[in-house]
Amino acid sequence: MASSPNAFSRRTLLVIDVQNDFMPGGSLAVPQGDLVIPAVNALMNQDFDVLVASRDWHPENHSSFTPYGGDWPIHCVSGTKGADFPPLLDQRRLTHIIHKGLDPACDSYSAFFDNDQRHSTGLDGLLRGLGIGHVTICGVALDFCVAATARDCSKLGFETVIKRAACRGISTDDTSCLNDLVAYGVQIDQT
């Protein structure tokens, strides 16, 4: 019988979508998104066994882009500067990078699955294979990709914590989003 993820004792930091296009001046800038970088860098120096970063890695013709009928400006096209991590993000301790949003027909907010839950990024298997039971999540945008990742993480049985000070959202009022996440069993660490 397989062990549940909570039986595992290893801890991971999951950095969500800290990419140039989501920073000020980027094509889909999150307000004050750059303010997460010092907080994320500080978290990466804490006692985590594994450090994973996700990033949008869209094809040029992604259906989420406004020219193709979507809601978002063109952003984080694979291999472009906009999809890169910002230079100030300390990447030296990252152990794994997960790419999401590769299917041109479906967006992918969560670092675990696309929005239609048709494709897995492999993150669940990676974490289970590494003996991870506790996941701390930070990054952008709190009310989209961070929240979707945290919901999936909790549903998959991992102990899930959002480090609020290392997140920024598109909305300036995150109360409803955080309440929704708590209802999913996600812990909110305000420090």
Side-chain angles (χ1 to χ4, degrees):
M1 183 169 148
S3 298
S4 76
N6 288 332
F8 300 161
S9 60
R10 298 186 82 207
R11 301 172 63 237
T12 191
L13 177 67
L14 183 52
V15 180
I16 303 297
D17 300 355
V18 178
Q19 296 171 263
N20 288 325
D21 273 346
F22 297 129
M23 299 295 110
S27 64
L28 187 51
V30 174
Q32 301 182 333
D34 57 327
L35 297 183
V36 305
I37 295 174
V40 170
N41 286 342
L43 282 171
M44 285 197 276
N45 288 318
Q46 293 184 10
D47 188 27
F48 290 100
D49 299 296
V50 177
L51 280 81
V52 180
S54 74
R55 59 183 175 187
D56 275 1
W57 203 247
H58 296 308
E60 291 179 2
N61 63 340
H62 199 271
S63 62
S64 71
F65 299 160
T66 52
Y68 303 99
D71 296 327
W72 307 110
I74 295 172
H75 65 280
C76 299
V77 172
S78 60
T80 65
K81 181 176 173 40
D84 287 344
F85 296 123
L88 294 178
L89 181 69
D90 184 0
Q91 303 170 47
R92 294 173 297 173
R93 295 204 55 230
L94 291 177
T95 57
H96 300 83
I97 298 172
I98 297 292
H99 292 103
K100 61 190 187 69
L102 298 125
D103 182 345
C106 182
D107 210 354
S108 185
Y109 294 163
S110 171
F112 287 95
F113 305 101
D114 64 30
N115 292 358
D116 292 341
Q117 302 279 305
R118 289 185 302 174
H119 305 293
S120 168
T121 63
L123 179 57
D124 179 28
L126 172 70
L127 297 181
R128 291 179 195 276
L130 293 171
I132 300 296
H134 178 96
V135 180
T136 297
I137 303 173
C138 60
V140 296
L142 174 62
D143 40 356
F144 285 90
C145 297
V146 172
T149 299
R151 282 192 297 269
D152 282 345
C153 191
S154 184
K155 283 193 289 188
L156 289 165
F158 296 97
E159 182 182 351
T160 307
V161 176
I162 287 182
K163 195 72 168 174
R164 178 64 190 93
C167 296
R168 289 294 181 279
I170 292 175
S171 172
T172 55
D173 182 4
D174 58 17
T175 305
S176 176
C177 173
L178 294 177
N179 288 341
D180 175 62
L181 291 170
V182 168
Y184 268 90
V186 176
Q187 300 169 47
I188 309 299
D189 181 344
Q190 295 288 353
T191 61

